[in-house]
Amino acid sequence: EPEVTQTPSHQVTQMGQEVILRCVPISNHLYFYWYRQILGQKVEFLVSFYNNEISEKSEIFDDQFSVERPDGSNFTLKIRSTKLEDSAMYFCASSTDTQYFGPGTRLTVL
Amino acid sequence: GQQLNQSPQSMFIQEGEDVSMNCTSSSIFNTWLWYKQDPGEGPVLLIALYKAGELTSNGRLTAQFGITRKDSFLNISASIPSDVGIYFCAGHYNPGGGADGLTFGKGTHLIIQP
């Protein structure tokens, strides 16, 4: 059964550094998403992407964040200058109608 | 923005018992979804609901899309140890289709006591 994959599973970085989180959505899906989940809290929407452009973004998705689909299979989330409060699980999802989630990347900012 | 209230926050039950949890929204949704999340993993889709009044089952799980479009419930019958985890409701209102983000509830933590 096709699934969303994410790499790395765990990323540790120093505050102020740039990180890129990578996702491979399900191959026939057209819509792509990033969510985050701070430890012990609910899942929060960051951004959605369709037809090579951002479709919707939340107030969390500020200028420090960017997304890209650099080729036909990958979908990336870049955080330009990480802050301590960016530490969270980051989930990628993809859909045609129903959203399916990847296993997540645990980002730890020191 | 849309707010989801999910209850209960946690449940301590005996194996074999039935479980019921629900979500209410401050505004109408046209899609309700129920996910299960195990520690350190991503949400796994359990049931998707697309129509007011819809009642859908997936094995021992049953979920309904409320007629008011502002609520949904999930029932689990005859719970087993592998049902342990956090259950999230999620939904969105997007009549035109497309890439709208989901609003999630805060989750119901299900704990099964031996």
Side-chain angles (χ1 to χ4, degrees):
Chain A
E1 184 174 321
E3 56 185 23
V4 178
T5 60
Q6 291 185 241
T7 54
S9 58
H10 192 181
Q11 174 90 48
V12 180
T13 189
Q14 296 289 327
M15 188 170 56
Q17 295 295 306
E18 174 184 286
V19 295
I20 298 176
L21 310 182
R22 302 180 192 281
C23 169
V24 179
I26 295 172
S27 62
N28 64 332
H29 285 184
L30 301 176
Y31 306 103
F32 315 117
Y33 312 80
W34 284 101
Y35 292 81
R36 79 169 186 195
Q37 184 180 33
I38 295 170
L39 184 64
Q41 299 186 21
K42 67 178 181 180
V43 178
E44 299 175 291
F45 169 70
L46 293 178
V47 65
S48 60
F49 193 85
Y50 170 70
N51 200 25
N52 284 318
E53 61 183 24
I54 290 174
S55 179
E56 183 190 11
K57 60 183 181 179
S58 72
E59 57 190 22
I60 302 170
F61 193 86
D62 61 22
D63 292 343
Q64 296 294 326
F65 293 90
S66 62
V67 290
E68 192 177 32
R69 186 153 164 84
D71 53 44
S73 59
N74 290 284
F75 180 51
T76 62
L77 174 69
K78 181 191 292 186
I79 308 176
R80 189 175 312 129
S81 177
T82 50
K83 304 185 287 285
L84 294 176
E85 54 265 38
D86 293 328
S87 294
M89 284 289 286
Y90 288 82
F91 295 108
C92 173
S94 69
S95 73
T96 49
D97 45 20
T98 303
Q99 293 181 35
Y100 292 88
F101 284 73
T105 293
R106 179 173 297 282
L107 177 65
T108 302
V109 182
L110 303 176
Chain B
Q2 294 169 325
Q3 298 290 323
L4 280 187
N5 292 311
Q6 185 172 352
S7 64
Q9 197 170 26
S10 58
M11 300 184 74
F12 295 80
I13 64 168
Q14 300 286 332
E15 184 177 349
E17 287 185 29
D18 296 342
V19 171
S20 184
M21 60 192 78
N22 69 84
C23 274
T24 58
S25 170
S26 58
S27 55
I28 61 172
F29 282 170
N30 64 351
T31 300
W32 279 99
L33 305 163
W34 285 92
Y35 291 88
K36 179 175 183 271
Q37 186 178 31
D38 292 328
E41 298 186 13
V44 174
L45 181 69
L46 299 174
I47 292 180
L49 303 160
Y50 299 105
K51 187 177 176 182
E54 181 181 354
L55 181 72
T56 297
S57 292
N58 177 9
R60 293 178 296 106
L61 278 60
T62 301
Q64 185 159 30
F65 192 141
I67 291 177
T68 66
R69 297 171 66 188
K70 290 186 176 182
D71 63 301
S72 177
F73 72 75
L74 174 70
N75 289 341
I76 306 172
S77 63
S79 57
I80 60 177
S82 62
D83 291 335
V84 166
I86 302 177
Y87 292 79
F88 289 98
C89 61
H92 67 85
Y93 177 74
N94 183 18
D100 271 14
L102 295 173
T103 299
F104 276 78
K106 292 185 177 180
T108 294
H109 193 177
L110 181 61
I111 299 162
I112 298 178
Q113 298 168 326

Tab-separated table of all heavy atoms in Angstrom, chain B residues 52-88:
chain	number	residue	atom	x	y	z
B	52	ALA	N	-23.308	14.893	5.956
B	52	ALA	CA	-24.052	15.025	7.205
B	52	ALA	C	-24.961	13.821	7.397
B	52	ALA	O	-25.677	13.422	6.475
B	52	ALA	CB	-24.860	16.311	7.195
B	53	GLY	N	-24.923	13.261	8.618
B	53	GLY	CA	-25.727	12.089	8.926
B	53	GLY	C	-25.064	10.769	8.594
B	53	GLY	O	-25.530	9.706	9.016
B	54	GLU	N	-23.960	10.800	7.881
B	54	GLU	CA	-23.283	9.567	7.464
B	54	GLU	C	-22.798	8.786	8.674
B	54	GLU	O	-22.231	9.345	9.597
B	54	GLU	CB	-22.102	9.934	6.564
B	54	GLU	CG	-21.303	8.757	6.030
B	54	GLU	CD	-20.130	9.205	5.158
B	54	GLU	OE1	-20.010	10.416	4.884
B	54	GLU	OE2	-19.330	8.335	4.764
B	55	LEU	N	-23.029	7.495	8.636
B	55	LEU	CA	-22.569	6.574	9.673
B	55	LEU	C	-21.703	5.534	8.984
B	55	LEU	O	-22.180	4.847	8.074
B	55	LEU	CB	-23.752	5.906	10.373
B	55	LEU	CG	-23.434	4.933	11.514
B	55	LEU	CD1	-22.937	5.694	12.735
B	55	LEU	CD2	-24.674	4.122	11.873
B	56	THR	N	-20.454	5.434	9.398
B	56	THR	CA	-19.502	4.556	8.709
B	56	THR	C	-18.780	3.674	9.712
B	56	THR	O	-18.414	4.138	10.794
B	56	THR	CB	-18.473	5.395	7.936
B	56	THR	OG1	-19.146	6.140	6.922
B	56	THR	CG2	-17.424	4.519	7.265
B	57	SER	N	-18.586	2.426	9.347
B	57	SER	CA	-17.872	1.487	10.213
B	57	SER	C	-16.586	1.007	9.549
B	57	SER	O	-16.488	0.924	8.320
B	57	SER	CB	-18.760	0.278	10.526
B	57	SER	OG	-19.848	0.659	11.334
B	58	ASN	N	-15.618	0.693	10.404
B	58	ASN	CA	-14.350	0.109	9.972
B	58	ASN	C	-13.980	-0.920	11.027
B	58	ASN	O	-13.365	-0.607	12.032
B	58	ASN	CB	-13.287	1.197	9.855
B	58	ASN	CG	-11.933	0.639	9.470
B	58	ASN	OD1	-11.804	-0.535	9.119
B	58	ASN	ND2	-10.908	1.468	9.525
B	59	GLY	N	-14.423	-2.144	10.819
B	59	GLY	CA	-14.212	-3.187	11.828
B	59	GLY	C	-14.988	-2.874	13.090
B	59	GLY	O	-16.205	-2.670	13.055
B	60	ARG	N	-14.252	-2.773	14.211
B	60	ARG	CA	-14.913	-2.475	15.493
B	60	ARG	C	-15.153	-0.985	15.702
B	60	ARG	O	-15.681	-0.582	16.735
B	60	ARG	CB	-14.046	-3.023	16.623
B	60	ARG	CG	-13.953	-4.555	16.658
B	60	ARG	CD	-13.026	-5.046	17.794
B	60	ARG	NE	-11.647	-4.613	17.576
B	60	ARG	CZ	-11.060	-3.647	18.260
B	60	ARG	NH1	-11.714	-3.009	19.212
B	60	ARG	NH2	-9.813	-3.338	18.001
B	61	LEU	N	-14.764	-0.174	14.752
B	61	LEU	CA	-14.906	1.274	14.865
B	61	LEU	C	-16.131	1.741	14.075
B	61	LEU	O	-16.379	1.272	12.966
B	61	LEU	CB	-13.669	1.974	14.308
B	61	LEU	CG	-12.440	2.117	15.190
B	61	LEU	CD1	-11.882	0.786	15.635
B	61	LEU	CD2	-11.374	2.922	14.494
B	62	THR	N	-16.857	2.669	14.679
B	62	THR	CA	-18.002	3.292	14.017
B	62	THR	C	-17.925	4.783	14.272
B	62	THR	O	-17.685	5.216	15.406
B	62	THR	CB	-19.336	2.755	14.570
B	62	THR	OG1	-19.385	1.339	14.384
B	62	THR	CG2	-20.513	3.400	13.835
B	63	ALA	N	-18.141	5.580	13.229
B	63	ALA	CA	-18.120	7.025	13.380
B	63	ALA	C	-19.314	7.615	12.653
B	63	ALA	O	-19.810	7.053	11.675
B	63	ALA	CB	-16.819	7.610	12.832
B	64	GLN	N	-19.779	8.743	13.158
B	64	GLN	CA	-20.903	9.431	12.518
B	64	GLN	C	-20.611	10.907	12.336
B	64	GLN	O	-19.984	11.547	13.190
B	64	GLN	CB	-22.191	9.254	13.314
B	64	GLN	CG	-23.410	9.868	12.605
B	64	GLN	CD	-24.729	9.309	13.067
B	64	GLN	OE1	-24.864	8.898	14.211
B	64	GLN	NE2	-25.713	9.284	12.173
B	65	PHE	N	-21.083	11.430	11.227
B	65	PHE	CA	-21.026	12.845	10.888
B	65	PHE	C	-22.350	13.435	11.357
B	65	PHE	O	-23.401	13.082	10.857
B	65	PHE	CB	-20.893	12.959	9.374
B	65	PHE	CG	-20.547	14.314	8.825
B	65	PHE	CD1	-19.665	14.420	7.762
B	65	PHE	CD2	-21.116	15.460	9.330
B	65	PHE	CE1	-19.354	15.651	7.206
B	65	PHE	CE2	-20.805	16.697	8.791
B	65	PHE	CZ	-19.938	16.786	7.720
B	66	GLY	N	-22.314	14.327	12.324
B	66	GLY	CA	-23.537	14.868	12.900
B	66	GLY	C	-24.380	15.639	11.891
B	66	GLY	O	-23.853	16.277	10.970
B	67	ILE	N	-25.684	15.591	12.096
B	67	ILE	CA	-26.620	16.235	11.170
B	67	ILE	C	-26.417	17.747	11.133
B	67	ILE	O	-26.598	18.388	10.096
B	67	ILE	CB	-28.064	15.886	11.553
B	67	ILE	CG1	-28.316	14.409	11.274
B	67	ILE	CG2	-29.063	16.737	10.785
B	67	ILE	CD1	-29.688	13.937	11.681
B	68	THR	N	-26.027	18.320	12.249
B	68	THR	CA	-25.788	19.770	12.278
B	68	THR	C	-24.494	20.150	11.567
B	68	THR	O	-24.224	21.331	11.359
B	68	THR	CB	-25.705	20.277	13.723
B	68	THR	OG1	-24.542	19.721	14.344
B	68	THR	CG2	-26.950	19.910	14.509
B	69	ARG	N	-23.678	19.166	11.232
B	69	ARG	CA	-22.362	19.336	10.602
B	69	ARG	C	-21.348	19.968	11.551
B	69	ARG	O	-20.264	20.365	11.131
B	69	ARG	CB	-22.472	20.142	9.312
B	69	ARG	CG	-23.322	19.437	8.269
B	69	ARG	CD	-23.625	20.314	7.079
B	69	ARG	NE	-22.428	20.631	6.325
B	69	ARG	CZ	-22.395	21.509	5.321
B	69	ARG	NH1	-23.493	22.146	4.964
B	69	ARG	NH2	-21.279	21.750	4.672
B	70	LYS	N	-21.710	20.041	12.827
B	70	LYS	CA	-20.801	20.627	13.810
B	70	LYS	C	-20.291	19.600	14.805
B	70	LYS	O	-19.668	19.974	15.805
B	70	LYS	CB	-21.500	21.757	14.555
B	70	LYS	CG	-21.757	22.992	13.716
B	70	LYS	CD	-22.331	24.103	14.585
B	70	LYS	CE	-22.509	25.385	13.793
B	70	LYS	NZ	-23.022	26.477	14.657
B	71	ASP	N	-20.576	18.326	14.594
B	71	ASP	CA	-20.104	17.337	15.540
B	71	ASP	C	-19.931	15.974	14.890
B	71	ASP	O	-20.497	15.690	13.832
B	71	ASP	CB	-21.068	17.239	16.733
B	71	ASP	CG	-22.441	16.765	16.307
B	71	ASP	OD1	-23.072	17.442	15.463
B	71	ASP	OD2	-22.872	15.712	16.795
B	72	SER	N	-19.141	15.149	15.576
B	72	SER	CA	-18.906	13.782	15.122
B	72	SER	C	-18.549	12.946	16.330
B	72	SER	O	-18.001	13.460	17.307
B	72	SER	CB	-17.763	13.746	14.107
B	72	SER	OG	-17.479	12.421	13.695
B	73	PHE	N	-18.882	11.664	16.283
B	73	PHE	CA	-18.447	10.773	17.345
B	73	PHE	C	-17.751	9.563	16.753
B	73	PHE	O	-17.937	9.205	15.592
B	73	PHE	CB	-19.613	10.358	18.249
B	73	PHE	CG	-20.595	9.394	17.611
B	73	PHE	CD1	-20.278	8.047	17.431
B	73	PHE	CD2	-21.843	9.832	17.211
B	73	PHE	CE1	-21.179	7.169	16.849
B	73	PHE	CE2	-22.754	8.956	16.641
B	73	PHE	CZ	-22.417	7.624	16.447
B	74	LEU	N	-16.926	8.941	17.603
B	74	LEU	CA	-16.257	7.691	17.257
B	74	LEU	C	-16.524	6.697	18.368
B	74	LEU	O	-16.318	7.019	19.544
B	74	LEU	CB	-14.748	7.893	17.104
B	74	LEU	CG	-13.911	6.630	16.891
B	74	LEU	CD1	-14.171	6.044	15.496
B	74	LEU	CD2	-12.419	6.902	17.075
B	75	ASN	N	-16.989	5.530	18.018
B	75	ASN	CA	-17.171	4.444	18.972
B	75	ASN	C	-16.232	3.302	18.635
B	75	ASN	O	-16.031	2.973	17.457
B	75	ASN	CB	-18.615	3.926	18.939
B	75	ASN	CG	-19.602	4.903	19.539
B	75	ASN	OD1	-19.229	5.796	20.289
B	75	ASN	ND2	-20.861	4.747	19.191
B	76	ILE	N	-15.684	2.681	19.670
B	76	ILE	CA	-14.883	1.472	19.521
B	76	ILE	C	-15.557	0.391	20.355
B	76	ILE	O	-15.790	0.581	21.557
B	76	ILE	CB	-13.439	1.670	20.009
B	76	ILE	CG1	-12.801	2.870	19.316
B	76	ILE	CG2	-12.605	0.404	19.765
B	76	ILE	CD1	-11.428	3.244	19.886
B	77	SER	N	-15.886	-0.711	19.745
B	77	SER	CA	-16.542	-1.779	20.493
B	77	SER	C	-15.516	-2.841	20.896
B	77	SER	O	-14.523	-3.068	20.198
B	77	SER	CB	-17.644	-2.428	19.649
B	77	SER	OG	-17.091	-3.030	18.497
B	78	ALA	N	-15.762	-3.449	22.050
B	78	ALA	CA	-14.955	-4.571	22.537
B	78	ALA	C	-13.463	-4.268	22.445
B	78	ALA	O	-12.716	-4.932	21.717
B	78	ALA	CB	-15.299	-5.841	21.760
B	79	SER	N	-13.015	-3.270	23.193
B	79	SER	CA	-11.632	-2.784	23.082
B	79	SER	C	-10.615	-3.902	23.357
B	79	SER	O	-10.851	-4.816	24.153
B	79	SER	CB	-11.412	-1.637	24.050
B	79	SER	OG	-11.701	-2.044	25.374
B	80	ILE	N	-9.493	-3.792	22.655
B	80	ILE	CA	-8.377	-4.727	22.817
B	80	ILE	C	-7.106	-3.931	23.105
B	80	ILE	O	-7.083	-2.717	22.866
B	80	ILE	CB	-8.213	-5.608	21.556
B	80	ILE	CG1	-7.923	-4.751	20.324
B	80	ILE	CG2	-9.456	-6.477	21.338
B	80	ILE	CD1	-7.680	-5.556	19.059
B	81	PRO	N	-6.065	-4.565	23.610
B	81	PRO	CA	-4.859	-3.827	24.001
B	81	PRO	C	-4.267	-2.944	22.897
B	81	PRO	O	-3.768	-1.855	23.177
B	81	PRO	CB	-3.895	-4.935	24.422
B	81	PRO	CG	-4.785	-6.015	24.938
B	81	PRO	CD	-5.991	-5.987	24.049
B	82	SER	N	-4.332	-3.363	21.653
B	82	SER	CA	-3.741	-2.561	20.581
B	82	SER	C	-4.554	-1.305	20.251
B	82	SER	O	-4.115	-0.479	19.442
B	82	SER	CB	-3.574	-3.409	19.317
B	82	SER	OG	-4.829	-3.864	18.859
B	83	ASP	N	-5.687	-1.138	20.890
B	83	ASP	CA	-6.457	0.104	20.706
B	83	ASP	C	-5.851	1.264	21.481
B	83	ASP	O	-6.240	2.421	21.274
B	83	ASP	CB	-7.907	-0.083	21.161
B	83	ASP	CG	-8.699	-1.008	20.252
B	83	ASP	OD1	-8.348	-1.132	19.065
B	83	ASP	OD2	-9.678	-1.618	20.740
B	84	VAL	N	-4.923	0.976	22.358
B	84	VAL	CA	-4.271	2.029	23.147
B	84	VAL	C	-3.617	3.041	22.212
B	84	VAL	O	-2.972	2.673	21.234
B	84	VAL	CB	-3.225	1.417	24.096
B	84	VAL	CG1	-2.304	2.493	24.661
B	84	VAL	CG2	-3.908	0.652	25.210
B	85	GLY	N	-3.786	4.309	22.509
B	85	GLY	CA	-3.193	5.370	21.700
B	85	GLY	C	-3.980	6.647	21.860
B	85	GLY	O	-4.843	6.756	22.739
B	86	ILE	N	-3.651	7.611	21.039
B	86	ILE	CA	-4.357	8.891	21.072
B	86	ILE	C	-5.197	8.993	19.807
B	86	ILE	O	-4.697	8.807	18.696
B	86	ILE	CB	-3.383	10.078	21.167
B	86	ILE	CG1	-2.512	9.941	22.417
B	86	ILE	CG2	-4.161	11.388	21.207
B	86	ILE	CD1	-1.468	11.029	22.563
B	87	TYR	N	-6.466	9.303	19.996
B	87	TYR	CA	-7.410	9.424	18.890
B	87	TYR	C	-7.710	10.901	18.658
B	87	TYR	O	-8.041	11.634	19.588
B	87	TYR	CB	-8.696	8.660	19.214
B	87	TYR	CG	-8.474	7.170	19.251
B	87	TYR	CD1	-7.905	6.561	20.370
B	87	TYR	CD2	-8.802	6.368	18.169
B	87	TYR	CE1	-7.681	5.190	20.405
B	87	TYR	CE2	-8.590	4.997	18.189
B	87	TYR	CZ	-8.023	4.422	19.311
B	87	TYR	OH	-7.796	3.071	19.336
B	88	PHE	N	-7.572	11.317	17.425
B	88	PHE	CA	-7.821	12.702	17.061
B	88	PHE	C	-8.972	12.789	16.078
B	88	PHE	O	-9.025	12.031	15.100
B	88	PHE	CB	-6.602	13.330	16.378
B	88	PHE	CG	-5.430	13.581	17.283
B	88	PHE	CD1	-4.370	12.694	17.350
B	88	PHE	CD2	-5.375	14.735	18.055
B	88	PHE	CE1	-3.282	12.935	18.171
B	88	PHE	CE2	-4.291	14.983	18.880
B	88	PHE	CZ	-3.250	14.084	18.941
